[in-house]
mmCIF file with all atom_site columns, all heavy atoms in Angstrom:
data_model
loop_
_atom_site.group_PDB
_atom_site.id
_atom_site.type_symbol
_atom_site.label_atom_id
_atom_site.label_alt_id
_atom_site.label_comp_id
_atom_site.label_asym_id
_atom_site.label_entity_id
_atom_site.label_seq_id
_atom_site.pdbx_PDB_ins_code
_atom_site.Cartn_x
_atom_site.Cartn_y
_atom_site.Cartn_z
_atom_site.occupancy
_atom_site.B_iso_or_equiv
_atom_site.pdbx_formal_charge
_atom_site.auth_seq_id
_atom_site.auth_comp_id
_atom_site.auth_asym_id
_atom_site.auth_atom_id
_atom_site.pdbx_PDB_model_num
ATOM 1   N N   . HIS A 1 1  ? 35.230 -1.978  -25.947 1.00 94.00 ? 29 HIS A N   1
ATOM 2   C CA  . HIS A 1 1  ? 33.910 -1.598  -26.447 1.00 94.00 ? 29 HIS A CA  1
ATOM 3   C C   . HIS A 1 1  ? 34.018 -0.638  -27.635 1.00 94.00 ? 29 HIS A C   1
ATOM 4   O O   . HIS A 1 1  ? 33.346 0.395   -27.684 1.00 94.00 ? 29 HIS A O   1
ATOM 5   C CB  . HIS A 1 1  ? 33.070 -0.992  -25.323 1.00 94.00 ? 29 HIS A CB  1
ATOM 6   C CG  . HIS A 1 1  ? 32.671 -2.006  -24.289 1.00 94.00 ? 29 HIS A CG  1
ATOM 7   N ND1 . HIS A 1 1  ? 31.432 -2.589  -24.277 1.00 94.00 ? 29 HIS A ND1 1
ATOM 8   C CD2 . HIS A 1 1  ? 33.361 -2.583  -23.271 1.00 94.00 ? 29 HIS A CD2 1
ATOM 9   C CE1 . HIS A 1 1  ? 31.369 -3.469  -23.275 1.00 94.00 ? 29 HIS A CE1 1
ATOM 10  N NE2 . HIS A 1 1  ? 32.535 -3.482  -22.666 1.00 94.00 ? 29 HIS A NE2 1
ATOM 11  N N   . SER A 1 2  ? 34.861 -1.000  -28.574 1.00 96.00 ? 30 SER A N   1
ATOM 12  C CA  . SER A 1 2  ? 35.008 -0.207  -29.790 1.00 96.00 ? 30 SER A CA  1
ATOM 13  C C   . SER A 1 2  ? 34.609 -0.983  -31.039 1.00 96.00 ? 30 SER A C   1
ATOM 14  O O   . SER A 1 2  ? 34.046 -0.406  -31.969 1.00 96.00 ? 30 SER A O   1
ATOM 15  C CB  . SER A 1 2  ? 36.449 0.299   -29.935 1.00 96.00 ? 30 SER A CB  1
ATOM 16  O OG  . SER A 1 2  ? 37.375 -0.770  -29.944 1.00 96.00 ? 30 SER A OG  1
ATOM 17  N N   . LEU A 1 3  ? 34.860 -2.288  -31.077 1.00 98.00 ? 31 LEU A N   1
ATOM 18  C CA  . LEU A 1 3  ? 34.583 -3.063  -32.294 1.00 98.00 ? 31 LEU A CA  1
ATOM 19  C C   . LEU A 1 3  ? 33.102 -3.093  -32.644 1.00 98.00 ? 31 LEU A C   1
ATOM 20  O O   . LEU A 1 3  ? 32.737 -3.124  -33.831 1.00 98.00 ? 31 LEU A O   1
ATOM 21  C CB  . LEU A 1 3  ? 35.101 -4.496  -32.146 1.00 98.00 ? 31 LEU A CB  1
ATOM 22  C CG  . LEU A 1 3  ? 36.616 -4.680  -32.111 1.00 98.00 ? 31 LEU A CG  1
ATOM 23  C CD1 . LEU A 1 3  ? 36.963 -6.152  -31.937 1.00 98.00 ? 31 LEU A CD1 1
ATOM 24  C CD2 . LEU A 1 3  ? 37.264 -4.132  -33.378 1.00 98.00 ? 31 LEU A CD2 1
ATOM 25  N N   . GLU A 1 4  ? 32.232 -3.081  -31.636 1.00 97.00 ? 32 GLU A N   1
ATOM 26  C CA  . GLU A 1 4  ? 30.796 -3.165  -31.910 1.00 97.00 ? 32 GLU A CA  1
ATOM 27  C C   . GLU A 1 4  ? 30.260 -1.907  -32.589 1.00 97.00 ? 32 GLU A C   1
ATOM 28  O O   . GLU A 1 4  ? 29.153 -1.922  -33.130 1.00 97.00 ? 32 GLU A O   1
ATOM 29  C CB  . GLU A 1 4  ? 30.012 -3.445  -30.626 1.00 97.00 ? 32 GLU A CB  1
ATOM 30  C CG  . GLU A 1 4  ? 30.065 -2.357  -29.584 1.00 97.00 ? 32 GLU A CG  1
ATOM 31  C CD  . GLU A 1 4  ? 31.212 -2.532  -28.611 1.00 97.00 ? 32 GLU A CD  1
ATOM 32  O OE1 . GLU A 1 4  ? 32.158 -3.293  -28.922 1.00 97.00 ? 32 GLU A OE1 1
ATOM 33  O OE2 . GLU A 1 4  ? 31.178 -1.914  -27.535 1.00 97.00 ? 32 GLU A OE2 1
ATOM 34  N N   . HIS A 1 5  ? 31.030 -0.827  -32.579 1.00 96.00 ? 33 HIS A N   1
ATOM 35  C CA  . HIS A 1 5  ? 30.598 0.401   -33.252 1.00 96.00 ? 33 HIS A CA  1
ATOM 36  C C   . HIS A 1 5  ? 30.876 0.357   -34.755 1.00 96.00 ? 33 HIS A C   1
ATOM 37  O O   . HIS A 1 5  ? 30.379 1.207   -35.502 1.00 96.00 ? 33 HIS A O   1
ATOM 38  C CB  . HIS A 1 5  ? 31.286 1.616   -32.638 1.00 96.00 ? 33 HIS A CB  1
ATOM 39  C CG  . HIS A 1 5  ? 30.951 1.832   -31.198 1.00 96.00 ? 33 HIS A CG  1
ATOM 40  N ND1 . HIS A 1 5  ? 29.721 2.288   -30.777 1.00 96.00 ? 33 HIS A ND1 1
ATOM 41  C CD2 . HIS A 1 5  ? 31.672 1.614   -30.068 1.00 96.00 ? 33 HIS A CD2 1
ATOM 42  C CE1 . HIS A 1 5  ? 29.703 2.367   -29.452 1.00 96.00 ? 33 HIS A CE1 1
ATOM 43  N NE2 . HIS A 1 5  ? 30.879 1.956   -29.006 1.00 96.00 ? 33 HIS A NE2 1
ATOM 44  N N   . LEU A 1 6  ? 31.650 -0.621  -35.179 1.00 97.00 ? 34 LEU A N   1
ATOM 45  C CA  . LEU A 1 6  ? 31.946 -0.773  -36.601 1.00 97.00 ? 34 LEU A CA  1
ATOM 46  C C   . LEU A 1 6  ? 30.832 -1.548  -37.279 1.00 97.00 ? 34 LEU A C   1
ATOM 47  O O   . LEU A 1 6  ? 30.057 -2.257  -36.631 1.00 97.00 ? 34 LEU A O   1
ATOM 48  C CB  . LEU A 1 6  ? 33.264 -1.525  -36.791 1.00 97.00 ? 34 LEU A CB  1
ATOM 49  C CG  . LEU A 1 6  ? 34.502 -0.934  -36.108 1.00 97.00 ? 34 LEU A CG  1
ATOM 50  C CD1 . LEU A 1 6  ? 35.688 -1.859  -36.314 1.00 97.00 ? 34 LEU A CD1 1
ATOM 51  C CD2 . LEU A 1 6  ? 34.789 0.463   -36.644 1.00 97.00 ? 34 LEU A CD2 1
ATOM 52  N N   . HIS A 1 7  ? 30.752 -1.428  -38.605 1.00 97.00 ? 35 HIS A N   1
ATOM 53  C CA  . HIS A 1 7  ? 29.883 -2.319  -39.367 1.00 97.00 ? 35 HIS A CA  1
ATOM 54  C C   . HIS A 1 7  ? 30.580 -3.667  -39.515 1.00 97.00 ? 35 HIS A C   1
ATOM 55  O O   . HIS A 1 7  ? 31.817 -3.761  -39.416 1.00 97.00 ? 35 HIS A O   1
ATOM 56  C CB  . HIS A 1 7  ? 29.580 -1.718  -40.738 1.00 97.00 ? 35 HIS A CB  1
ATOM 57  C CG  . HIS A 1 7  ? 28.705 -0.496  -40.670 1.00 97.00 ? 35 HIS A CG  1
ATOM 58  N ND1 . HIS A 1 7  ? 27.343 -0.584  -40.483 1.00 97.00 ? 35 HIS A ND1 1
ATOM 59  C CD2 . HIS A 1 7  ? 29.005 0.826   -40.746 1.00 97.00 ? 35 HIS A CD2 1
ATOM 60  C CE1 . HIS A 1 7  ? 26.832 0.637   -40.453 1.00 97.00 ? 35 HIS A CE1 1
ATOM 61  N NE2 . HIS A 1 7  ? 27.814 1.506   -40.607 1.00 97.00 ? 35 HIS A NE2 1
ATOM 62  N N   . THR A 1 8  ? 29.797 -4.706  -39.734 1.00 97.00 ? 36 THR A N   1
ATOM 63  C CA  . THR A 1 8  ? 30.342 -6.059  -39.757 1.00 97.00 ? 36 THR A CA  1
ATOM 64  C C   . THR A 1 8  ? 31.498 -6.201  -40.739 1.00 97.00 ? 36 THR A C   1
ATOM 65  O O   . THR A 1 8  ? 32.526 -6.827  -40.428 1.00 97.00 ? 36 THR A O   1
ATOM 66  C CB  . THR A 1 8  ? 29.229 -7.059  -40.112 1.00 97.00 ? 36 THR A CB  1
ATOM 67  O OG1 . THR A 1 8  ? 28.183 -6.964  -39.128 1.00 97.00 ? 36 THR A OG1 1
ATOM 68  C CG2 . THR A 1 8  ? 29.758 -8.482  -40.132 1.00 97.00 ? 36 THR A CG2 1
ATOM 69  N N   . HIS A 1 9  ? 31.374 -5.584  -41.914 1.00 98.00 ? 37 HIS A N   1
ATOM 70  C CA  . HIS A 1 9  ? 32.430 -5.731  -42.918 1.00 98.00 ? 37 HIS A CA  1
ATOM 71  C C   . HIS A 1 9  ? 33.692 -4.945  -42.553 1.00 98.00 ? 37 HIS A C   1
ATOM 72  O O   . HIS A 1 9  ? 34.755 -5.170  -43.136 1.00 98.00 ? 37 HIS A O   1
ATOM 73  C CB  . HIS A 1 9  ? 31.930 -5.279  -44.293 1.00 98.00 ? 37 HIS A CB  1
ATOM 74  C CG  . HIS A 1 9  ? 31.704 -3.801  -44.409 1.00 98.00 ? 37 HIS A CG  1
ATOM 75  N ND1 . HIS A 1 9  ? 30.553 -3.187  -43.957 1.00 98.00 ? 37 HIS A ND1 1
ATOM 76  C CD2 . HIS A 1 9  ? 32.497 -2.800  -44.898 1.00 98.00 ? 37 HIS A CD2 1
ATOM 77  C CE1 . HIS A 1 9  ? 30.635 -1.879  -44.178 1.00 98.00 ? 37 HIS A CE1 1
ATOM 78  N NE2 . HIS A 1 9  ? 31.802 -1.618  -44.744 1.00 98.00 ? 37 HIS A NE2 1
ATOM 79  N N   . GLU A 1 10 ? 33.592 -4.043  -41.564 1.00 98.00 ? 38 GLU A N   1
ATOM 80  C CA  . GLU A 1 10 ? 34.749 -3.250  -41.149 1.00 98.00 ? 38 GLU A CA  1
ATOM 81  C C   . GLU A 1 10 ? 35.568 -3.940  -40.062 1.00 98.00 ? 38 GLU A C   1
ATOM 82  O O   . GLU A 1 10 ? 36.740 -3.585  -39.842 1.00 98.00 ? 38 GLU A O   1
ATOM 83  C CB  . GLU A 1 10 ? 34.289 -1.885  -40.648 1.00 98.00 ? 38 GLU A CB  1
ATOM 84  C CG  . GLU A 1 10 ? 33.671 -1.003  -41.716 1.00 98.00 ? 38 GLU A CG  1
ATOM 85  C CD  . GLU A 1 10 ? 33.139 0.290   -41.162 1.00 98.00 ? 38 GLU A CD  1
ATOM 86  O OE1 . GLU A 1 10 ? 32.538 0.262   -40.062 1.00 98.00 ? 38 GLU A OE1 1
ATOM 87  O OE2 . GLU A 1 10 ? 33.315 1.334   -41.821 1.00 98.00 ? 38 GLU A OE2 1
ATOM 88  N N   . VAL A 1 11 ? 34.976 -4.908  -39.377 1.00 98.00 ? 39 VAL A N   1
ATOM 89  C CA  . VAL A 1 11 ? 35.675 -5.577  -38.279 1.00 98.00 ? 39 VAL A CA  1
ATOM 90  C C   . VAL A 1 11 ? 36.981 -6.225  -38.742 1.00 98.00 ? 39 VAL A C   1
ATOM 91  O O   . VAL A 1 11 ? 38.030 -6.038  -38.107 1.00 98.00 ? 39 VAL A O   1
ATOM 92  C CB  . VAL A 1 11 ? 34.755 -6.593  -37.582 1.00 98.00 ? 39 VAL A CB  1
ATOM 93  C CG1 . VAL A 1 11 ? 35.538 -7.437  -36.579 1.00 98.00 ? 39 VAL A CG1 1
ATOM 94  C CG2 . VAL A 1 11 ? 33.612 -5.881  -36.877 1.00 98.00 ? 39 VAL A CG2 1
ATOM 95  N N   . PRO A 1 12 ? 36.994 -6.998  -39.853 1.00 98.00 ? 40 PRO A N   1
ATOM 96  C CA  . PRO A 1 12 ? 38.266 -7.575  -40.307 1.00 98.00 ? 40 PRO A CA  1
ATOM 97  C C   . PRO A 1 12 ? 39.318 -6.515  -40.616 1.00 98.00 ? 40 PRO A C   1
ATOM 98  O O   . PRO A 1 12 ? 40.519 -6.755  -40.410 1.00 98.00 ? 40 PRO A O   1
ATOM 99  C CB  . PRO A 1 12 ? 37.879 -8.353  -41.566 1.00 98.00 ? 40 PRO A CB  1
ATOM 100 C CG  . PRO A 1 12 ? 36.430 -8.672  -41.379 1.00 98.00 ? 40 PRO A CG  1
ATOM 101 C CD  . PRO A 1 12 ? 35.867 -7.475  -40.677 1.00 98.00 ? 40 PRO A CD  1
ATOM 102 N N   . LEU A 1 13 ? 38.900 -5.344  -41.080 1.00 98.00 ? 41 LEU A N   1
ATOM 103 C CA  . LEU A 1 13 ? 39.846 -4.273  -41.371 1.00 98.00 ? 41 LEU A CA  1
ATOM 104 C C   . LEU A 1 13 ? 40.508 -3.775  -40.081 1.00 98.00 ? 41 LEU A C   1
ATOM 105 O O   . LEU A 1 13 ? 41.721 -3.549  -40.038 1.00 98.00 ? 41 LEU A O   1
ATOM 106 C CB  . LEU A 1 13 ? 39.141 -3.115  -42.076 1.00 98.00 ? 41 LEU A CB  1
ATOM 107 C CG  . LEU A 1 13 ? 38.451 -3.433  -43.403 1.00 98.00 ? 41 LEU A CG  1
ATOM 108 C CD1 . LEU A 1 13 ? 37.748 -2.192  -43.943 1.00 98.00 ? 41 LEU A CD1 1
ATOM 109 C CD2 . LEU A 1 13 ? 39.460 -3.957  -44.422 1.00 98.00 ? 41 LEU A CD2 1
ATOM 110 N N   . ALA A 1 14 ? 39.706 -3.605  -39.034 1.00 98.00 ? 42 ALA A N   1
ATOM 111 C CA  . ALA A 1 14 ? 40.248 -3.151  -37.752 1.00 98.00 ? 42 ALA A CA  1
ATOM 112 C C   . ALA A 1 14 ? 41.188 -4.191  -37.158 1.00 98.00 ? 42 ALA A C   1
ATOM 113 O O   . ALA A 1 14 ? 42.274 -3.854  -36.663 1.00 98.00 ? 42 ALA A O   1
ATOM 114 C CB  . ALA A 1 14 ? 39.109 -2.845  -36.786 1.00 98.00 ? 42 ALA A CB  1
ATOM 115 N N   . LEU A 1 15 ? 40.795 -5.456  -37.208 1.00 98.00 ? 43 LEU A N   1
ATOM 116 C CA  . LEU A 1 15 ? 41.643 -6.508  -36.637 1.00 98.00 ? 43 LEU A CA  1
ATOM 117 C C   . LEU A 1 15 ? 42.943 -6.647  -37.417 1.00 98.00 ? 43 LEU A C   1
ATOM 118 O O   . LEU A 1 15 ? 44.006 -6.917  -36.830 1.00 98.00 ? 43 LEU A O   1
ATOM 119 C CB  . LEU A 1 15 ? 40.892 -7.836  -36.612 1.00 98.00 ? 43 LEU A CB  1
ATOM 120 C CG  . LEU A 1 15 ? 39.613 -7.857  -35.764 1.00 98.00 ? 43 LEU A CG  1
ATOM 121 C CD1 . LEU A 1 15 ? 39.002 -9.243  -35.755 1.00 98.00 ? 43 LEU A CD1 1
ATOM 122 C CD2 . LEU A 1 15 ? 39.893 -7.385  -34.337 1.00 98.00 ? 43 LEU A CD2 1
ATOM 123 N N   . ALA A 1 16 ? 42.879 -6.448  -38.733 1.00 98.00 ? 44 ALA A N   1
ATOM 124 C CA  . ALA A 1 16 ? 44.098 -6.460  -39.541 1.00 98.00 ? 44 ALA A CA  1
ATOM 125 C C   . ALA A 1 16 ? 45.016 -5.302  -39.146 1.00 98.00 ? 44 ALA A C   1
ATOM 126 O O   . ALA A 1 16 ? 46.250 -5.450  -39.125 1.00 98.00 ? 44 ALA A O   1
ATOM 127 C CB  . ALA A 1 16 ? 43.754 -6.385  -41.026 1.00 98.00 ? 44 ALA A CB  1
ATOM 128 N N   . GLU A 1 17 ? 44.429 -4.158  -38.808 1.00 98.00 ? 45 GLU A N   1
ATOM 129 C CA  . GLU A 1 17 ? 45.216 -3.021  -38.354 1.00 98.00 ? 45 GLU A CA  1
ATOM 130 C C   . GLU A 1 17 ? 45.857 -3.311  -36.991 1.00 98.00 ? 45 GLU A C   1
ATOM 131 O O   . GLU A 1 17 ? 47.012 -2.954  -36.746 1.00 98.00 ? 45 GLU A O   1
ATOM 132 C CB  . GLU A 1 17 ? 44.351 -1.770  -38.264 1.00 98.00 ? 45 GLU A CB  1
ATOM 133 C CG  . GLU A 1 17 ? 44.104 -1.088  -39.583 1.00 98.00 ? 45 GLU A CG  1
ATOM 134 C CD  . GLU A 1 17 ? 45.378 -0.467  -40.129 1.00 98.00 ? 45 GLU A CD  1
ATOM 135 O OE1 . GLU A 1 17 ? 46.144 -1.189  -40.814 1.00 98.00 ? 45 GLU A OE1 1
ATOM 136 O OE2 . GLU A 1 17 ? 45.644 0.716   -39.869 1.00 98.00 ? 45 GLU A OE2 1
ATOM 137 N N   . PHE A 1 18 ? 45.109 -3.964  -36.098 1.00 98.00 ? 46 PHE A N   1
ATOM 138 C CA  . PHE A 1 18 ? 45.680 -4.331  -34.801 1.00 98.00 ? 46 PHE A CA  1
ATOM 139 C C   . PHE A 1 18 ? 46.922 -5.196  -35.017 1.00 98.00 ? 46 PHE A C   1
ATOM 140 O O   . PHE A 1 18 ? 47.965 -4.971  -34.398 1.00 98.00 ? 46 PHE A O   1
ATOM 141 C CB  . PHE A 1 18 ? 44.665 -5.102  -33.959 1.00 98.00 ? 46 PHE A CB  1
ATOM 142 C CG  . PHE A 1 18 ? 43.481 -4.296  -33.489 1.00 98.00 ? 46 PHE A CG  1
ATOM 143 C CD1 . PHE A 1 18 ? 42.468 -4.893  -32.766 1.00 98.00 ? 46 PHE A CD1 1
ATOM 144 C CD2 . PHE A 1 18 ? 43.365 -2.945  -33.783 1.00 98.00 ? 46 PHE A CD2 1
ATOM 145 C CE1 . PHE A 1 18 ? 41.372 -4.170  -32.325 1.00 98.00 ? 46 PHE A CE1 1
ATOM 146 C CE2 . PHE A 1 18 ? 42.265 -2.201  -33.352 1.00 98.00 ? 46 PHE A CE2 1
ATOM 147 C CZ  . PHE A 1 18 ? 41.272 -2.822  -32.618 1.00 98.00 ? 46 PHE A CZ  1
ATOM 148 N N   . ARG A 1 19 ? 46.790 -6.184  -35.893 1.00 98.00 ? 47 ARG A N   1
ATOM 149 C CA  . ARG A 1 19 ? 47.912 -7.095  -36.151 1.00 98.00 ? 47 ARG A CA  1
ATOM 150 C C   . ARG A 1 19 ? 49.069 -6.349  -36.815 1.00 98.00 ? 47 ARG A C   1
ATOM 151 O O   . ARG A 1 19 ? 50.235 -6.599  -36.500 1.00 98.00 ? 47 ARG A O   1
ATOM 152 C CB  . ARG A 1 19 ? 47.436 -8.261  -37.021 1.00 98.00 ? 47 ARG A CB  1
ATOM 153 C CG  . ARG A 1 19 ? 48.526 -9.273  -37.326 1.00 98.00 ? 47 ARG A CG  1
ATOM 154 C CD  . ARG A 1 19 ? 47.962 -10.559 -37.915 1.00 98.00 ? 47 ARG A CD  1
ATOM 155 N NE  . ARG A 1 19 ? 49.013 -11.408 -38.442 1.00 98.00 ? 47 ARG A NE  1
ATOM 156 C CZ  . ARG A 1 19 ? 49.835 -12.156 -37.723 1.00 98.00 ? 47 ARG A CZ  1
ATOM 157 N NH1 . ARG A 1 19 ? 49.708 -12.159 -36.407 1.00 98.00 ? 47 ARG A NH1 1
ATOM 158 N NH2 . ARG A 1 19 ? 50.767 -12.893 -38.283 1.00 98.00 ? 47 ARG A NH2 1
ATOM 159 N N   . ARG A 1 20 ? 48.768 -5.427  -37.689 1.00 98.00 ? 48 ARG A N   1
ATOM 160 C CA  . ARG A 1 20 ? 49.821 -4.714  -38.412 1.00 98.00 ? 48 ARG A CA  1
ATOM 161 C C   . ARG A 1 20 ? 50.686 -3.869  -37.480 1.00 98.00 ? 48 ARG A C   1
ATOM 162 O O   . ARG A 1 20 ? 51.915 -3.825  -37.623 1.00 98.00 ? 48 ARG A O   1
ATOM 163 C CB  . ARG A 1 20 ? 49.201 -3.804  -39.488 1.00 98.00 ? 48 ARG A CB  1
ATOM 164 C CG  . ARG A 1 20 ? 50.229 -3.018  -40.307 1.00 98.00 ? 48 ARG A CG  1
ATOM 165 C CD  . ARG A 1 20 ? 49.569 -2.049  -41.259 1.00 98.00 ? 48 ARG A CD  1
ATOM 166 N NE  . ARG A 1 20 ? 48.828 -0.979  -40.580 1.00 98.00 ? 48 ARG A NE  1
ATOM 167 C CZ  . ARG A 1 20 ? 49.407 0.102   -40.044 1.00 98.00 ? 48 ARG A CZ  1
ATOM 168 N NH1 . ARG A 1 20 ? 50.724 0.253   -40.076 1.00 98.00 ? 48 ARG A NH1 1
ATOM 169 N NH2 . ARG A 1 20 ? 48.666 1.024   -39.454 1.00 98.00 ? 48 ARG A NH2 1
ATOM 170 N N   . VAL A 1 21 ? 50.052 -3.176  -36.519 1.00 98.00 ? 49 VAL A N   1
ATOM 171 C CA  . VAL A 1 21 ? 50.812 -2.252  -35.676 1.00 98.00 ? 49 VAL A CA  1
ATOM 172 C C   . VAL A 1 21 ? 51.546 -2.951  -34.538 1.00 98.00 ? 49 VAL A C   1
ATOM 173 O O   . VAL A 1 21 ? 52.418 -2.348  -33.903 1.00 98.00 ? 49 VAL A O   1
ATOM 174 C CB  . VAL A 1 21 ? 49.902 -1.145  -35.098 1.00 98.00 ? 49 VAL A CB  1
ATOM 175 C CG1 . VAL A 1 21 ? 49.204 -0.384  -36.212 1.00 98.00 ? 49 VAL A CG1 1
ATOM 176 C CG2 . VAL A 1 21 ? 48.889 -1.706  -34.093 1.00 98.00 ? 49 VAL A CG2 1
ATOM 177 N N   . LEU A 1 22 ? 51.219 -4.218  -34.281 1.00 98.00 ? 50 LEU A N   1
ATOM 178 C CA  . LEU A 1 22 ? 51.838 -4.928  -33.163 1.00 98.00 ? 50 LEU A CA  1
ATOM 179 C C   . LEU A 1 22 ? 53.226 -5.443  -33.519 1.00 98.00 ? 50 LEU A C   1
ATOM 180 O O   . LEU A 1 22 ? 53.488 -5.874  -34.642 1.00 98.00 ? 50 LEU A O   1
ATOM 181 C CB  . LEU A 1 22 ? 50.960 -6.106  -32.732 1.00 98.00 ? 50 LEU A CB  1
ATOM 182 C CG  . LEU A 1 22 ? 49.728 -5.757  -31.908 1.00 98.00 ? 50 LEU A CG  1
ATOM 183 C CD1 . LEU A 1 22 ? 48.823 -6.980  -31.764 1.00 98.00 ? 50 LEU A CD1 1
ATOM 184 C CD2 . LEU A 1 22 ? 50.130 -5.227  -30.530 1.00 98.00 ? 50 LEU A CD2 1
ATOM 185 N N   . LYS A 1 23 ? 54.100 -5.436  -32.518 1.00 98.00 ? 51 LYS A N   1
ATOM 186 C CA  . LYS A 1 23 ? 55.409 -6.058  -32.669 1.00 98.00 ? 51 LYS A CA  1
ATOM 187 C C   . LYS A 1 23 ? 55.231 -7.580  -32.738 1.00 98.00 ? 51 LYS A C   1
ATOM 188 O O   . LYS A 1 23 ? 54.194 -8.111  -32.334 1.00 98.00 ? 51 LYS A O   1
ATOM 189 C CB  . LYS A 1 23 ? 56.299 -5.676  -31.492 1.00 98.00 ? 51 LYS A CB  1
ATOM 190 C CG  . LYS A 1 23 ? 56.616 -4.189  -31.412 1.00 98.00 ? 51 LYS A CG  1
ATOM 191 C CD  . LYS A 1 23 ? 57.472 -3.888  -30.193 1.00 98.00 ? 51 LYS A CD  1
ATOM 192 C CE  . LYS A 1 23 ? 57.791 -2.399  -30.090 1.00 98.00 ? 51 LYS A CE  1
ATOM 193 N NZ  . LYS A 1 23 ? 58.605 -2.070  -28.893 1.00 98.00 ? 51 LYS A NZ  1
ATOM 194 N N   . PRO A 1 24 ? 56.239 -8.310  -33.226 1.00 98.00 ? 52 PRO A N   1
ATOM 195 C CA  . PRO A 1 24 ? 56.111 -9.769  -33.353 1.00 98.00 ? 52 PRO A CA  1
ATOM 196 C C   . PRO A 1 24 ? 55.808 -10.487 -32.039 1.00 98.00 ? 52 PRO A C   1
ATOM 197 O O   . PRO A 1 24 ? 55.250 -11.585 -32.057 1.00 98.00 ? 52 PRO A O   1
ATOM 198 C CB  . PRO A 1 24 ? 57.477 -10.189 -33.908 1.00 98.00 ? 52 PRO A CB  1
ATOM 199 C CG  . PRO A 1 24 ? 57.956 -8.986  -34.659 1.00 98.00 ? 52 PRO A CG  1
ATOM 200 C CD  . PRO A 1 24 ? 57.478 -7.803  -33.850 1.00 98.00 ? 52 PRO A CD  1
ATOM 201 N N   . ASP A 1 25 ? 56.156 -9.875  -30.890 1.00 98.00 ? 53 ASP A N   1
ATOM 202 C CA  . ASP A 1 25 ? 55.857 -10.496 -29.600 1.00 98.00 ? 53 ASP A CA  1
ATOM 203 C C   . ASP A 1 25 ? 54.732 -9.767  -28.865 1.00 98.00 ? 53 ASP A C   1
ATOM 204 O O   . ASP A 1 25 ? 54.562 -9.923  -27.657 1.00 98.00 ? 53 ASP A O   1
ATOM 205 C CB  . ASP A 1 25 ? 57.103 -10.540 -28.721 1.00 98.00 ? 53 ASP A CB  1
ATOM 206 C CG  . ASP A 1 25 ? 57.671 -9.149  -28.418 1.00 98.00 ? 53 ASP A CG  1
ATOM 207 O OD1 . ASP A 1 25 ? 57.230 -8.174  -29.075 1.00 98.00 ? 53 ASP A OD1 1
ATOM 208 O OD2 . ASP A 1 25 ? 58.547 -9.041  -27.541 1.00 98.00 ? 53 ASP A OD2 1
ATOM 209 N N   . GLY A 1 26 ? 53.946 -8.981  -29.603 1.00 98.00 ? 54 GLY A N   1
ATOM 210 C CA  . GLY A 1 26 ? 52.880 -8.201  -28.995 1.00 98.00 ? 54 GLY A CA  1
ATOM 211 C C   . GLY A 1 26 ? 51.571 -8.956  -28.876 1.00 98.00 ? 54 GLY A C   1
ATOM 212 O O   . GLY A 1 26 ? 51.455 -10.137 -29.240 1.00 98.00 ? 54 GLY A O   1
#
């Protein structure tokens, strides 16, 4: 319940950050 607090244009930025910090098998 964190993504809904972002503005719509910020969601891709957050998801890109999730992907960036994850290990290749994460």
Side-chain angles (χ1 to χ4, degrees):
H29 291 260
S30 58
L31 291 179
E32 65 270 18
H33 298 288
L34 304 176
H35 291 282
T36 300
H37 70 278
E38 294 176 320
V39 172
L41 301 178
L43 299 183
E45 280 291 86
F46 292 177
R47 181 167 169 76
R48 180 185 65 79
V49 303
L50 283 170
K51 296 178 180 179
D53 60 348

